[in-house]
Amino acid sequence: MQDPIITLTTDFGDDSPYVAALKGVILNINPSARLLDLSHQIPPQDIRYTSFFLAAAIPYFPPEVLHLIIVDPGVGTERALLFVEVAGHRLLAPDNGCWTELIRGAAQPAKVIRLVETRYWRPLVSPTFHGRDILAPVAGHLSLGLKPELLGPLAEDWVRMEAKSPIQQETDWRGEVAFVDHFGNLISNLPAEALPAALPCKICVQGVEIIRRVRSYAEADPGTLVILTSSVGLLEIAVVGGSAAKQLNATVGTPILAKRTMA
Amino acid sequence: MQDPIITLTTDFGDDSPYVAALKGVILNINPSARLLDLSHQIPPQDIRYTSFFLAAAIPYFPPEVLHLIIVDPGVGTERALLFVEVAGHRLLAPDNGCWTELIRGAAQPAKVIRLVETRYWRPLVSPTFHGRDILAPVAGHLSLGLKPELLGPLAEDWVRMEAKSPIQQETDWRGEVAFVDHFGNLISNLPAEALPAALPCKICVQGVEIIRRVRSYAEADPGTLVILTSSVGLLEIAVVGGSAAKQLNATVGTPILAKRTMA
Amino acid sequence: MQDPIITLTTDFGDDSPYVAALKGVILNINPSARLLDLSHQIPPQDIRYTSFFLAAAIPYFPPEVLHLIIVDPGVGTERALLFVEVAGHRLLAPDNGCWTELIRGAAQPAKVIRLVETRYWRPLVSPTFHGRDILAPVAGHLSLGLKPELLGPLAEDWVRMEAKSPIQQETDWRGEVAFVDHFGNLISNLPAEALPAALPCKICVQGVEIIRRVRSYAEADPGTLVILTSSVGLLEIAVVGGSAAKQLNATVGTPILAKRTMA
């Protein structure tokens, strides 16, 4: 049988002993677990970033993988910790909405279990580190074949991320920057179909009009502001060989106006 | 049999080809070794950081794991390279004190072997990269089952980290910041028991008095300076949703005064 | 049989969901693949950095490992994607010269295959993410034992990195900084044999003369500018316990003059 895979996504930072502690706890329970870092550089306590990250990453994994997500500003409060089955994937995460974007693509409703069975936790639980003391040991036990139903009762409600949907006004769309990637590309919340590549259009961000539509970055000269379809199917604004975030002084939440123009 | 696990902790940086070279050397000797990154973002040559990091990470691992630690400002000098068994864990590290905090929790004295048997090293040893040419191949051979005794003689002495202990004056404690985590939380060298949560107290750092004691970050409003018990059992100073290091302009070594106050 | 190892080297950044997507795609095709991060912190689109990185890392790996390299400023254009066998190693990379430094040490010419067989790709290929949609699935299939010849035709030509060779003038050498490591050490493009350690010499960088030659960093006092032989066999300029890059305001491409001096 295949050794089970557990992925790790946290905001702990790559310089952090807390990441190492998580790994140790899991391996102590299941030394066969194959641990896979997704990222430990989620911006601190940034649920929205986590939400976009997971939606762009989790769907590519096979269903048998277990995903451990620890971005948890509410640690130590009454917020729940959850085991989730959604769209064929299995996650452990705090109940803060970070995973609910995954429901959108799901054929079936999510199955959500609230972690309450302390027998699968570490004996002493620090109020500041539930990742190490609750989520990691639960991940270890699940990877050994424990049935999720033994972790606690089914949850009937959970926190949902308020996704910022774009607004359509006739042929115009008002949206915003949903994600800024490592290259400084601005990923909007506008579906690429909103502005079919075949029709002339323009995008306005921070008072700048962008009209050049390309399929790939290298199609235009270095330094050019371009519109393209991002690899996750959303409209994207980029500077060829540069950072659109810097050049336009734009960040998550910056408004974007997309308009059809005359042919 | 379980494939052996080797963890890697270095100050090489995540952009470094030196980390990749380590991994290649180990896999060349034992392609079955399961490599696990703990961190490559230890601040350059920072033994104190490494010491705190290891004490907060290693105890959580099962004993069969081998830990390779390469933070080595003395590379190429006469400083020894060591194989260490301490508190049930096995490490390879330069003799610079980075691991000696682990002795504190140990029931038995450490067993320390000085690496001298060149047959387990790479044939050519660069004076600037003993990690690649000595420690990594030795890790590979150990993971194949080599007896540590074959690596060299028992060491009777080694460098010890000078741990900065807090000073108690009646009911006051004078300590300092021992670690600043990725969130900017200040972990002190004061054991949490020094200031029992049930009794009123205050902490002074950089001329600022902090009196709010909480169990978890989210108990107070964003921006509040709070005292809590860190997940490693030490007093911690945090700003809810922010960075205490930035707000107090504090860093490792910044003095901390903890006082009981009247009820 | 050993589970196959696939290494990942990208410029996506450690905060990127794109890295996670790669891992998911590979595991979806071959859940037994052992994924190993080399680096995701290659500076954006920096082919020269990638070239140095690979030359300093790949040779240490055993031949059965497959290396996936995604630094790809030309994504979506007509630039080819390649499977390469060179110097006993196997790589998947865009055709941008990032791997051609490995040819230097090779006894045999490289075998290069152009990826054209779409049956091994994801069904929908985004013009902005060939790593996820072409290279990752091809890596997954190769790790299952697919013959590289099935991926496409042999390539007879490919982009070669223009390596900047140093120029010898009698006993002087004119070179430049080829790589700046995480510590700020300046690795030149001058082979260490150009300036044998036994003979007096000096190096001029940014108007500063450096004459102290050492074998290891700790041989000189902190703050001293020194010349040494880097672990990859090139002349290196370092500041003991500091950053030569900062102190000399030097970066990749900064000219270096090396001179023999009178005894």
Side-chain angles (χ1 to χ4, degrees), chain A residues 222-258:
Chain A
T224 314
L225 272 163
V226 295
I227 308 167
L228 31 63
T229 300
S230 87
S231 61
V232 290
L234 298 166
L235 283 175
E236 175 178 334
I237 296 140
V239 168
V240 178
S243 165
K246 274 194 196 151
Q247 185 161 328
L248 296 170
N249 193 27
T251 186
V252 170
T254 299
I256 290 176
L257 177 62

Side-chain angles (χ1 to χ4, degrees), chain A residues 32-50:
Chain A
S32 296
R34 292 161 61 203
L35 302 177
L36 194 65
D37 296 306
L38 297 195
S39 178
H40 302 293
Q41 294 290 139
I42 301 288
Q45 310 183 339
D46 192 334
I47 308 298
R48 187 172 181 185
Y49 191 103
T50 311

